[in-house]
Amino acid sequence: QVQLVESGGGLVQAGGSLRLSCAASGSIFSINTMGWYRQAPGNQRELVAAITSGGSTNYADSVKGRFTISRDNAKNTVYLQMNSLKPEDTAVYYCAADRPNYPSDPVAEITYDYWGQGTQVTVSS
């Protein structure tokens, strides 16, 4: 079993920064790709960023140049550094992890086998 716990969310002004963390525990040897999704009220959950075990990354067009995903395998933790935040970034952010199985497309939601509870990010204007 794998558990994911997000932290680092909060309330910031437009133009500010936050760093989200997601710590994995349990059967940590059963994780390949990790990703961040977000969901705003009335919207579908969307991919923000993903990172494979080898370090390859994917980003939503709306966050390229502003957000950076990284991981520390020794700490079993994935991070999302969010800079130049905009009000439209307001959402619940979810951490997700993929087991070494199929499907395995990093940008497909169905790929992910484990999900955190989410952390709220609110950006005021």
Side-chain angles (χ1 to χ4, degrees), residues 4-70:
L4 304 175
V5 179
E6 303 98 334
S7 62
L11 173 64
V12 298
Q13 295 185 51
S17 298
L18 285 173
R19 189 176 79 154
L20 305 183
S21 299
C22 173
S25 62
S27 186
I28 58 177
F29 297 103
S30 299
I31 296 175
N32 281 345
T33 300
M34 300 188 73
W36 288 95
Y37 278 74
R38 67 185 181 187
Q39 187 169 29
N43 291 0
Q44 294 189 93
R45 187 155 58 183
E46 63 175 349
L47 176 72
V48 178
I51 184 167
T52 69
S53 59
S56 297
T57 58
N58 296 91
Y59 293 95
D61 288 341
S62 60
V63 307
K64 286 182 179 177
R66 299 189 298 122
F67 292 9
T68 302
I69 188 171
S70 61

Side-chain angles (χ1 to χ4, degrees), residues 1 23 35 39 61 84 106 117:
Q1 303 296 322
Q39 187 169 29
D61 288 341
S84 302
Q117 292 295 309

